[in-house]
Structures are given as structure tokens and as C-alpha cells.
Amino acid sequence: QVYESLDWESLEQGVGYHPTFFEYLFFMGMLYFAERQPDHCILETGLGGRLDATNSVAKKELSVITRISLDHVEYLGDTVEKIACEKAGIMMKGVPAVYLDAEKSSVNVFERYAKDLDIKRYPVSKNDYEFLNFQHKTIDFLFHSLYYGDIRFSLHTIARYQMENAALAVRSVEVLFKGSLPEEVLYHGVAKCFWQGRMEEIFPEVYVDGAHNEDGIRAFLDTVGADGVRSGRFLLFSAVADKDYEHMIERIAKAGLFQRITIVPMKTHRAADTDRLKRIFDSYDVKSYQMAEDSGEALKELMALRDGQRIYVAGSLYLVGEIKELLTDD
């Protein structure tokens, strides 16, 4: 009914506002949720927050803000503070806010917004959790909760940055339910957590990670540097043209964690020019990289060449998608 009522002739002529693809999907989701009547809806913003379609929801129960990084700078601003202001726009009077206490510049913004709205705030910092051990591709960590004391959690992943995300999620749940959920529910929820494309093992000792900006690469390299692999590592890399791939490559080059790096093109019009990527690697005097013409063939070559080395794929979600297609093709 909504589709049929739209004035398509005016929209085609540029008269009035034309919803984006994300806004169409969001609207469809809202209609579906209204029909199914779930107990809770979790909405992730598409871009920023203040002007995002998800921010049109009138009744919120909780606002959650994760780590801020320099991404989509052409829309959100070219500093962490400017982006934080856009993200803080999801806060609402009478609604508690959970946010990551990581960078002073963004935390100052969140505190100011929360104070102006006179809402309760629940920051999560590294002081709220601590790494215990890593064994058999599982991370054990301790979380200092508000209602349950110290809880030991197990994450079935090698990604150390997921401790931060899990801590935010658990804090959000305990604030939302005011400690009424049994502790076992939290434990099993974290234990069963699975995030596609984030340090996901798709073949034995082959991991794909969707890190696609400088902060994502930082977190990716932190995990790689602590993976305990002694036989060496290979990296399959590409990037999207509108991302800050210069600083991504700088971090990769200076980390010195990979014996062999293969640069590949991607099957999207947004892909960065591989010759440009090559010149940046050259500027850091990286000797260990090669060029390839196809991501799938490049991965197969790395798998054939390795002698105990672990293979990582990173730089773009598009690249992760292309590599994961190999699972269905085979």
C-alpha cells in the first residue's frame, strides 16, 4: 500500500525526497517488527546517528555507542570530536546511555550530551574487564559487572578486540534489565556469540577480518601480533577507494607481522586502484608483497605455498565477501 501510494513520477523528476536503499530497508524492517511484536528491537545506525533513519524511533529504552573511528569523514566530519557529536545524537532524554570510554576527545562529547539531557550514563573502559588467558582459539576474560560482581566469560574467537565489544554488550544488557537476568544467561549468550567476517576461520588456519579503516586495522594487528603463531603469516589485502587506506597500509608495513603480502583487486566499482596500493607499500620499502589479478586464485596460491603459515584476509568487507563466496562455490 505504501509502495503504491508513492508519487513515482515526481520522484523520478527529482521533486521531493527520495529514500536511500538503507532507509527503504529500515522502513521494511519496522513494518515487519510491528507485525511480529518482539519484546525488544536492536537497531544499528546506518551512518552516524543524529540524522540516521534509525533515530526516528520515538521510544527508546537504551542508547549504546561503540568505539569511534575516522570513517565516513565526508559525511560525519574529519575529527573524532565531530564524529562523536553525530554519534551522540542518538541519545534521548529519559533514556540511559552506554558508551565506550576509550578516547578522551569522544568521551568528553558523550559526557556533555548526557549532562545536557540529564540522563544516566554507563561508560565502559578497559578497567571494566581483564584478559585471563587464550587457549584453543578461545579467549577467557573477567568482567566487573554492576549487579553480579566479577563474571568469567569465554569468547569462541581469537579476536582480542571482541572483549571490548562483549563488555559493552553485557553492560547494556544489565542496564536494560537492571540485573534481573540470571548470570547463566549472560554467560551462555557471550559463549554462543558469532560474528561473521570478524576473525572468522573459513578454512583451517585461514581467517577473514572485515577491518576496513585505520582503527579496524589497529585492532586486527593487535590480535595478529598476539596469536602465538611461530611459523609465520601471509596476508591477502585490498581496500575501498574512499577509505583511509594510506594509514591502513602504514600500520601493516610498520607492524612487520607478515612474511608475504598479496595485493588483489576487488569486483566492485568502489575498489581502490591496486597500482596506488602498490606505490604506498613501496613508499614503506615493503619487500614482502606481490600483486595478483584475482582474490580467489590468490588465496588458493597462498594456501598451496604455505608451510605451516597462517593466512589472514583483511582490508575490506567486500574482500571478505568475495573470499567467503568460495565456500559456496566449492
Side-chain angles (χ1 to χ4, degrees):
Q1 291 176 339
V2 173
Y3 180 90
E4 293 176 351
S5 67
L6 289 174
D7 185 354
W8 290 102
E9 184 177 351
S10 296
L11 289 174
E12 289 173 358
Q13 295 174 356
V15 179
Y17 176 73
H18 194 294
T20 65
F21 178 67
F22 176 83
E23 289 167 339
Y24 273 123
L25 290 179
F26 171 71
F27 181 53
M28 291 165 62
M30 291 300 96
L31 293 176
Y32 178 76
F33 293 153
E35 179 181 306
R36 298 304 296 264
Q37 292 291 305
D39 295 325
H40 296 276
C41 294
I42 301 174
L43 305 178
E44 181 184 7
T45 60
L47 190 65
R50 182 176 62 93
L51 300 177
D52 192 79
T54 57
N55 208 24
S56 62
V57 174
K59 185 179 182 300
K60 300 178 183 178
E61 295 186 70
L62 185 69
S63 300
V64 184
I65 304 177
T66 59
R67 180 176 289 272
I68 301 292
S69 60
L70 288 175
D71 205 359
H72 303 294
V73 294
E74 66 273 30
Y75 303 110
L76 303 180
D78 56 2
T79 67
V80 170
E81 292 88 344
K82 291 178 182 178
I83 296 175
C85 287
E86 294 297 320
K87 299 284 188 179
I90 67 170
M91 293 184 183
M92 179 181 288
K93 193 171 183 62
V95 179
V98 175
Y99 56 83
L100 187 68
D101 183 354
E103 292 189 39
K104 191 66 176 176
S105 54
S106 60
V107 172
N108 287 340
V109 172
F110 301 150
E111 289 179 344
R112 185 175 71 248
Y113 270 68
K115 184 178 180 180
D116 290 344
L117 292 169
D118 192 25
I119 60 176
K120 292 183 179 180
R121 52 188 179 86
Y122 299 90
V124 176
S125 72
K126 287 187 176 181
N127 294 327
D128 292 300
Y129 63 92
E130 57 184 286
F131 173 78
L132 294 177
N133 58 62
F134 176 76
Q135 54 184 349
H136 195 57
K137 301 177 182 178
T138 297
I139 294 173
D140 291 338
F141 72 99
L142 198 67
F143 178 69
H144 311 301
S145 72
L146 298 175
Y147 295 94
Y148 308 90
D150 291 345
I151 309 177
R152 180 171 179 148
F153 288 110
S154 291
L155 280 166
H156 295 280
T157 179
I158 67 168
R160 293 175 67 93
Y161 55 77
Q162 294 292 28
M163 288 188 292
E164 175 183 291
N165 292 322
L168 275 169
V170 174
R171 177 58 47 81
S172 299
V173 169
E174 61 176 350
V175 170
L176 184 62
F177 292 95
K178 298 180 176 59
S180 62
L181 290 180
E183 183 178 324
E184 293 76 17
V185 172
L186 300 178
Y187 177 82
H188 290 298
V190 172
K192 292 181 179 180
C193 179
F194 172 69
W195 194 345
Q196 287 198 49
R198 297 298 281 174
M199 281 297 176
E200 178 185 358
E201 188 175 21
I202 58 169
F203 298 113
E205 294 301 306
V206 178
Y207 289 84
V208 295
D209 192 89
H212 56 274
N213 55 38
E214 185 184 4
D215 190 66
I217 290 293
R218 174 203 57 77
F220 164 72
L221 294 173
D222 284 347
T223 289
V224 173
D227 64 7
V229 174
R230 298 181 179 180
S231 53
R233 311 171 185 90
F234 294 161
L235 174 65
L236 193 67
F237 178 82
S238 195
V240 171
D242 59 0
K243 299 297 182 181
D244 186 12
Y245 53 79
E246 293 190 12
H247 286 102
M248 292 163 60
I249 294 174
E250 178 185 5
R251 283 187 176 272
I252 292 171
K254 291 182 177 180
L257 294 170
F258 304 99
Q259 290 177 303
R260 185 183 182 98
I261 300 172
T262 302
I263 303 170
V264 295
M266 295 187 295
K267 301 169 186 176
T268 171
H269 69 279
R270 295 184 61 194
D273 179 62
T274 51
D275 287 335
R276 173 61 180 159
L277 300 179
K278 176 182 181 298
R279 287 195 293 271
I280 300 172
F281 274 103
D282 284 337
S283 69
Y284 290 102
D285 198 30
V286 177
K287 306 294 186 184
S288 59
Y289 80 85
Q290 292 80 32
M291 307 294 291
E293 295 183 357
D294 179 83
S295 59
E297 291 303 316
L299 176 60
K300 292 177 183 178
E301 181 181 352
L302 289 179
M303 293 177 70
L305 287 173
R306 67 175 171 173
D307 182 20
Q309 291 89 347
R310 176 177 287 181
I311 298 175
Y312 289 101
V313 179
S316 171
L317 288 167
Y318 287 100
L319 180 60
V320 169
E322 287 186 19
I323 295 301
K324 291 197 66 173
E325 280 185 12
L326 297 175
L327 300 177
T328 56
D329 292 343
D330 294 341

